[in-house]
Amino acid sequence: MIAAKRVTLTFDNGPTPGVTEQVLDILSARKIHCTFFVLGKNLMSPGGRELAVRAQSEGHWIGNHSFTHSVPLGDRPDAEYARREIENTQELIGELAHPERFFRPMGGGGLLGPHLLSPAALDLLQAGKYTCVLWSSVPGDWKDQDGWIEKGIADVAARDWAVVVLHDVNNACLPRLTEFLDRLDSLQVEFRQDFPEDVVVTRRGEIVSPRISEIMA
Ligand SMILES: [Zn+2]
């Protein structure tokens, strides 16, 4: 017998009023728990924080995905930039944060590379005891609203435990999210909320992965 594939779903770049509610409804109906990697700027806009509160109250984990989601941290080495992007967002997340203090770097359309972190950003993640989480599947829901499902299913089928990046933003995964979850159900995957070791770079501030050298400027 072949062991079931495991899948951890993550939703980045929200919360987005009008979208995140529907994603939460879909997940709640299926009792699937995920992590929402939120943007600080979205927590400051109307309705944003309420959605993060709702997500957390429904059992999802809230992670930090930068404040502006503009220039990747590895492309701007100054410490002040890293501090603003990471710490200001963490302050806004406040008590909604998971104890592991999840942080996911941004940029590059899902490619791993030195654009993701600067040395100053890594210092900050270590000092702040963050758990830095990457991914193993980026199906591209924001750029290919139809094709992302096939890519996502292929990624899940290719690994024992995929960490899939989707986006709770406009014009991304929402229109076909139910169909994607139906397809995963038909593959009898095990939905997980935690992260496999191969996507974790720092755990509570300790560097646990040799991949740090791949993703730092
Ligand atoms: Zn992102």
Side-chain angles (χ1 to χ4, degrees):
M1 186 184 145
I2 302 167
K5 300 286 187 187
R6 288 170 285 185
V7 179
T8 299
L9 297 180
T10 59
F11 292 88
D12 289 9
N13 296 22
T16 309
V19 174
T20 305
E21 297 90 324
Q22 297 184 65
V23 169
L24 289 170
D25 289 345
I26 291 168
L27 296 174
S28 155
R30 292 165 179 262
K31 299 187 169 58
I32 297 172
H33 291 128
C34 304
T35 299
F36 286 79
F37 285 97
V38 302
L39 302 185
K41 66 176 182 181
N42 290 345
L43 294 178
M44 291 188 71
S45 58
R49 186 172 168 86
E50 288 77 359
L51 286 168
V53 167
R54 178 181 160 192
Q56 199 259 359
S57 75
E58 292 179 1
H60 303 289
W61 295 343
I62 306 300
N64 177 337
H65 188 45
S66 84
F67 192 87
T68 62
H69 205 275
S70 54
V71 180
L73 291 165
D75 291 342
R76 261 189 79 173
D78 59 291
E80 176 55 23
Y81 179 66
R83 199 191 60 72
R84 283 204 311 272
E85 289 293 320
I86 298 172
E87 303 264 89
N88 288 3
T89 303
Q90 199 64 26
E91 244 169 66
L92 287 163
I93 292 172
E95 64 190 17
L96 300 177
H98 186 279
E100 296 255 332
R101 292 165 66 83
F102 294 120
F103 174 80
R104 169 176 277 169
M106 54 73 53
L111 294 177
L112 299 182
H115 58 279
L116 291 176
L117 288 180
S118 61
L122 177 62
D123 282 349
L124 216 143
L125 295 177
Q126 291 179 281
K129 301 197 176 340
Y130 288 89
T131 297
C132 179
V133 176
L134 301 176
W135 50 83
S136 50
S137 167
V138 182
D141 58 332
W142 77 97
K143 58 185 180 190
D144 183 2
Q145 275 195 70
D146 290 318
W148 72 267
I149 288 204
E150 294 308 326
K151 172 89 167 67
I153 294 294
D155 287 348
V156 167
R159 310 182 75 87
D160 289 335
W161 186 349
V163 176
V164 181
V165 178
L166 299 174
H167 295 84
D168 54 328
V169 303
N170 287 302
N171 303 313
C173 71
L174 177 60
R176 298 189 69 189
L177 181 59
T178 295
E179 184 187 344
F180 182 58
L181 298 177
D182 286 344
R183 294 273 302 273
L184 292 176
D185 277 341
S186 69
L187 295 172
Q188 296 185 301
V189 304
E190 177 191 352
F191 287 99
R192 299 283 298 234
Q193 192 168 16
D194 54 338
F195 300 103
E197 288 303 318
D198 67 329
V199 301
V200 178
V201 177
T202 65
R203 192 174 286 287
R204 296 186 185 233
E206 300 291 324
I207 296 174
V208 294
S209 168
R211 296 175 81 181
I212 191 71
S213 57
E214 276 176 56
I215 63 159
M216 199 171 67

